[in-house]
Amino acid sequence: MFEKLLESGCVIVIGRVGGKREELAKRIVEHAAAKGFSTTVLDTYGLFRDIPLEPVKPLLPYRLISTYLPLVLPSLPGPHTSSAEVTAAEAVAESSTFSGCLVKLASRTDSGARVAYLKLSMLSAFITDNEISPNLNASRIELAVAPTLFRKALTLLWVSYFKVLNKPPPRVIVIGEGGLTTREGGWVWPLLEELAMQGAAVVLLDRAIRRQHLQYAIVLADMTQEARMGVLKYRLPVSPEDTVGQKVVILDGGSSLYKIDH
């Protein structure tokens, strides 16, 4: 089963936080390790601490991820305006450092700059002007150390970091929480697909089935109420007994592949 999942490119694992979805993801990581695959887990909730991966602080180099900073503004808490993204993009284009970018935004008096400054300042502890190169061979990015409302933006920035690395991405990338909005998905899904084309197996954990998931392999690890609603909404070929049973149901492109006892 795990071999097939790792060959799928992008895999969506549906279930409740701390339930079977994490258990299944850990088994995928263990299988990848046994195969000698490089693996990185974006550990959103700190639930992967019990597997032998090197903990890595969620610190990113500004130089590599700067162009994606305007895109994550809507994913940070607080009001958002399109002018904030435009202003942030201008500041990023004119700044070789994150500190310089914030100074430029702080020097402006328009509302877009104020919003951009306030939001990007939230990431100050997680973006460095230094050149760093975290070990991604067998690593667990400790996103759980960040405030809860910052973790989505950090997750998206880490995805962009994998994309802009001047070396192949990790063979297996586990994303501890998806929940992408339509807006976020508009630029993140293409990045995930590019990573898959480069040979990475992307395992994205989510609580609910979303329309964007339907073109990928979907693993129903926990048949929660949200999962049942998705099965009905998208008319997935899951039998009624499977929606209340203890089996893991795996779908691929809308057709049922197989089921396993978990």
Side-chain angles (χ1 to χ4, degrees), residues 1-2 5 11-28 203-209 217-224 227-228 231 238 242-251 260-262:
M1 177 190 72
F2 299 115
L5 289 178
V11 179
I12 316 299
V13 183
I14 303 296
R16 64 179 179 83
V17 176
K20 289 183 181 178
R21 68 174 203 174
E22 273 82 13
E23 292 177 21
L24 189 63
K26 289 176 185 179
R27 291 172 64 184
I28 292 174
V203 181
L204 186 144
L205 279 54
D206 209 330
R207 307 183 198 197
I209 301 170
I218 301 174
V219 181
L220 301 177
D222 278 314
M223 195 57 71
T224 61
R228 291 190 191 94
V231 167
V238 179
D242 289 325
T243 64
V244 296
Q246 298 300 313
K247 294 182 181 296
V248 173
V249 180
I250 302 175
L251 305 149
I260 62 167
D261 290 317
H262 189 66

Side-chain angles (χ1 to χ4, degrees), residues 60-66 69 92 95-98 101 127-128:
L60 288 163
Y62 172 79
R63 183 180 65 83
L64 291 181
I65 53 87
S66 59
L69 288 174
V92 164
S95 307
S96 59
T97 64
F98 186 54
C101 176
I127 298 176
T128 178

Side-chain angles (χ1 to χ4, degrees), residues 168-191:
R171 177 63 178 81
V172 178
I173 300 171
V174 177
I175 301 174
E177 186 64 67
L180 298 178
T181 65
T182 301
R183 184 170 188 168
E184 292 164 345
W187 66 274
V188 176
W189 283 113
L191 293 184

Side-chain angles (χ1 to χ4, degrees), residues 2-74:
F2 299 115
E3 198 70 39
K4 288 185 178 181
L5 289 178
L6 291 177
E7 292 172 357
S8 299
C10 289
V11 179
I12 316 299
V13 183
I14 303 296
R16 64 179 179 83
V17 176
K20 289 183 181 178
R21 68 174 203 174
E22 273 82 13
E23 292 177 21
L24 189 63
K26 289 176 185 179
R27 291 172 64 184
I28 292 174
V29 170
E30 290 168 356
H31 178 80
K35 290 284 188 179
F37 293 159
S38 58
T39 302
T40 296
V41 175
L42 300 182
D43 192 3
T44 309
Y45 302 109
L47 297 174
F48 289 83
R49 292 173 179 156
D50 57 343
I51 55 177
L53 295 174
E54 178 185 349
V56 175
K57 293 180 180 179
L59 192 63
L60 288 163
Y62 172 79
R63 183 180 65 83
L64 291 181
I65 53 87
S66 59
T67 56
Y68 293 94
L69 288 174
L71 296 176
V72 303
L73 291 183

Side-chain angles (χ1 to χ4, degrees), residues 77-142:
H80 179 70
T81 63
S82 57
S83 63
E85 287 186 58
V86 173
T87 306
E90 292 172 351
V92 164
E94 298 170 359
S95 307
S96 59
T97 64
F98 186 54
S99 54
C101 176
L102 292 179
V103 168
K104 284 187 180 296
L105 290 171
S107 68
R108 296 180 54 162
T109 58
D110 55 288
S111 60
R114 286 197 297 272
V115 171
Y117 174 79
L118 289 172
K119 290 200 168 197
L120 290 183
S121 295
M122 298 174 187
L123 301 176
S124 294
F126 308 102
I127 298 176
T128 178
D129 292 334
N130 298 325
E131 295 292 332
I132 59 173
S133 182
N135 173 29
L136 301 179
N137 186 50
S139 58
R140 179 178 62 84
I141 312 302
E142 297 183 297

